[in-house]
Amino acid sequence: MFGIPGKQAVTITPAAATQIAKLMEKDGSMGLRIGVKKGGCAGMEYTMDYVSEIDPLDETIEQDGARVMIAPMAQMFLFGTEIDYQVSLLESGFKFKNPNVVDECGCGESIKFDESLASK
């Protein structure tokens, strides 16, 4: 929808692909839908939901047994994002390296995009 022909909206690291494939198998889902919604202290938050059906309007990325769908309205906010999965002594989880983010809160859960993206 908002992409460049031949270029995926997001990339998935091998660690993220492995974790997504495990989650899909455990839940029996078709994949994970990634999106954004209003909320959090910086204004927007990422969303991740299991999906049982692939929406034909979603952009679908498949890699190493993992399937990620990008909701249509989130594609412009997520274009160029790398999704990683990191494990540390204190926490583990998905990390988004998004070139469209101009600010984020201290916890990294809430983000702010360049306001020009919302007007496109």
Side-chain angles (χ1 to χ4, degrees):
M1 185 174 202
F2 293 100
I4 297 172
K7 183 163 174 57
Q8 299 179 148
V10 301
T11 57
I12 307 167
T13 66
T18 298
Q19 185 64 23
I20 292 167
K22 285 181 190 176
L23 291 171
M24 288 172 55
E25 185 177 317
K26 179 180 177 185
D27 188 65
S29 68
M30 294 290 294
L32 293 176
R33 179 173 290 122
I34 310 292
V36 293
K37 68 176 185 174
K38 290 185 184 243
C41 53
M44 300 285 278
E45 299 174 313
Y46 293 111
T47 62
M48 294 184 84
D49 298 298
Y50 293 110
V51 293
S52 56
E53 289 185 27
I54 298 173
D55 184 322
L57 297 177
D58 286 350
E59 178 170 346
T60 302
I61 295 105
E62 296 186 58
Q63 178 180 318
D64 301 326
R67 184 178 299 117
V68 171
M69 284 73 75
I70 309 298
M73 294 309 294
Q75 291 175 15
M76 67 181 155
F77 294 107
L78 297 175
F79 194 79
T81 298
E82 177 186 78
I83 301 171
D84 193 14
Y85 187 79
Q86 298 175 355
V87 178
S88 72
L89 290 173
L90 296 175
E91 65 181 0
S92 62
F94 291 100
K95 304 292 180 190
F96 294 80
K97 295 177 186 165
N98 187 336
N100 305 304
V101 170
V102 294
D103 196 15
E104 61 186 0
C105 67
C107 69
E109 301 276 327
S110 181
I111 50 180
K112 181 178 180 182
F113 294 102
D114 183 336
E115 292 181 19
S116 68
L117 282 177
S119 63
K120 290 184 181 180

